[in-house]
Amino acid sequence: MENVQSLPNSVLYFGELKGILTGEDGAVISLHMDSQQSGEYVMKISDQTVWIDSGERTPSIPSDLAAGERLYVFHSPVSTRSMPPQSAAFAVVRSIPQDVGCAMYHKVEAAVEREGKLQITTDNGGLFLYADQETALSTYTGNSLDRLEDIKAGAYIMAWYDAVALSYPGQAYAQHIMLLDREAASEPLTRSALIGLLHEAQGKPVVNFLMNYSDVDQSAPYAEAIRWASSERIISGYGDGRVGPGDAVSREQMASIIWRWAGSPMLMDYPGLTSYSDVGDISSFAQPALAWAHQKGLLPADGHLGPKEIVSLTEAETILAALCGEKTPME
């Protein structure tokens, strides 16, 4: 009988970003990479690709990607025979350290409790990751993950760990595990989708306004919404001719855009945001908007705000439904 070698669940590529290709909606669809070790590659991006900030140990937003950035890309073991080869990207890791400790992408092949620790088998049985009560837990979508027992076989995770013991299987202790519950999440909110919701809530007004964004096709279905939002100063471009219609939106960005749509109401000395454990992560530009959103009851109530976490289309729709129960903000 032949001994058939199983393909790995993913392959790690480390290299420098040479170019970014976006679709008609502005969303990133491929990354042109170069590496001294592995040569050039084109990494194909899909709506199932996860973006990770390794340093912050949080999801990342690709809107500020730029040529020259060095990335880890975990991609499919299957590649095209073209030059350069192309492969599907499963996870793109940014803010990578210069030594061990970077976020690593794994499929959980088995998860069993042994002597008070959770033993996670991955890499076709070639690596054991151990986690205990000291291991920090999070999810890609911001959903609650309080128990190690919620990490099941078949799940995908990002894990932060240091040296791997020189044994077979290799062994390492996980300092942080992020469950990639991407498939269970609602569709990520993009700038064009959010502006479309606001435009519709406003009655889809048509305005005479010169709009000249390099990444907005005048015939795109969201073009009129962006024209209107630009005329009302609800959004503005990035300063380089782009407005990023396909870029994912963080919670503080969403709050700021909706706040401007609502007329930029100001609250004086509002203390409500201090109830969040991560209040220090809020950008200064977003503080008035988040204070207003909190006062309106539009923010998470569990003590964790996640101002820079990517939000879902469902969350934006829920907020708009609540606000539209009142008088139309810009009426």
Side-chain angles (χ1 to χ4, degrees):
M1 295 179 61
E2 292 186 18
N3 184 16
V4 179
Q5 180 67 38
S6 299
L7 286 175
N9 291 307
S10 66
V11 177
L12 171 59
Y13 177 98
F14 170 61
E16 181 176 306
L17 181 60
K18 295 187 62 177
I20 305 167
L21 181 63
T22 58
E24 292 183 358
D25 62 353
V28 178
I29 58 176
S30 66
L31 304 177
H32 186 184
M33 305 287 299
D34 192 16
S35 165
Q36 289 185 349
Q37 181 178 3
S38 305
E40 293 189 38
Y41 247 87
V42 173
M43 301 300 179
K44 307 298 287 184
I45 306 298
S46 72
D47 58 359
Q48 292 303 311
T49 304
V50 297
W51 298 82
I52 305 295
D53 185 314
S54 183
E56 295 295 330
R57 301 185 178 185
T58 61
S60 178
I61 299 174
S63 59
D64 58 347
L65 275 175
E69 183 173 349
R70 301 181 73 77
L71 304 170
Y72 274 4
V73 182
F74 293 86
H75 65 95
S76 169
V78 179
S79 302
T80 67
R81 295 186 179 182
S82 59
M83 294 300 293
Q86 301 184 36
S87 186
F90 299 150
V92 180
V93 183
R94 310 177 66 192
S95 302
I96 55 178
Q98 298 301 313
D99 52 13
V100 295
C102 186
M104 304 297 286
Y105 176 83
H106 292 291
K107 180 180 180 180
V108 178
E109 295 160 5
V112 295
E113 185 177 350
R114 297 187 185 281
E115 299 179 354
K117 294 183 178 181
L118 185 68
Q119 176 184 290
I120 298 171
T121 304
T122 186
D123 288 5
N124 284 330
L127 176 65
F128 289 160
L129 294 178
Y130 292 95
D132 57 21
Q133 298 305 315
E134 299 299 317
T135 302
L137 302 176
S138 64
T139 67
Y140 186 73
T141 60
N143 293 326
S144 176
L145 180 64
D146 301 319
R147 306 184 309 152
L148 288 170
E149 293 81 0
D150 292 334
I151 300 174
K152 307 287 188 182
Y156 288 86
I157 61 173
M158 301 301 302
W160 284 259
Y161 50 89
D162 290 329
V164 177
L166 297 177
S167 59
Y168 189 84
Q171 301 181 54
Y173 173 75
Q175 302 159 349
H176 187 121
I177 292 176
M178 177 190 291
L179 181 65
L180 300 177
D181 53 344
R182 186 76 161 78
E183 293 183 355
S186 173
E187 180 183 351
L189 180 66
T190 63
R191 284 166 65 86
S192 60
L194 176 56
I195 295 306
L197 289 175
L198 297 176
H199 189 229
E200 184 174 358
Q202 204 61 40
K204 295 186 176 181
V206 177
V207 298
N208 182 15
F209 181 78
L210 178 62
M211 179 184 65
N212 190 27
Y213 296 122
S214 61
D215 55 353
V216 176
D217 188 328
Q218 299 290 335
S219 63
Y222 52 77
E224 195 58 42
I226 291 180
R227 185 191 313 279
W228 162 79
S230 299
S231 72
E232 297 288 348
R233 299 178 182 262
I234 296 172
I235 61 167
S236 59
Y238 291 144
D240 59 357
R242 299 181 304 116
V243 73
D247 292 348
V249 178
S250 68
R251 184 164 286 113
E252 65 179 13
Q253 291 171 338
M254 175 186 68
S256 297
I257 291 173
I258 295 177
W259 174 71
R260 289 194 288 271
W261 173 71
S264 304
M266 297 296 294
L267 302 179
M268 301 304 294
D269 301 323
Y270 182 73
L273 296 178
T274 57
S275 63
Y276 291 112
S277 60
D278 53 355
V279 63
D281 295 339
I282 299 174
S283 301
S284 57
F285 76 86
Q287 290 176 357
L290 287 170
W292 166 80
H294 184 272
Q295 190 268 341
K296 285 282 189 182
L298 305 175
L299 297 180
D302 61 358
H304 175 77
L305 176 61
K308 293 179 172 56
E309 292 176 2
I310 296 171
V311 293
S312 68
L313 178 61
T314 300
E315 183 172 341
E317 290 173 335
T318 301
I319 289 175
L320 262 295
L323 288 174
C324 288
E326 306 173 0
K327 180 181 178 180
T328 303
M330 292 181 63
E331 187 175 11

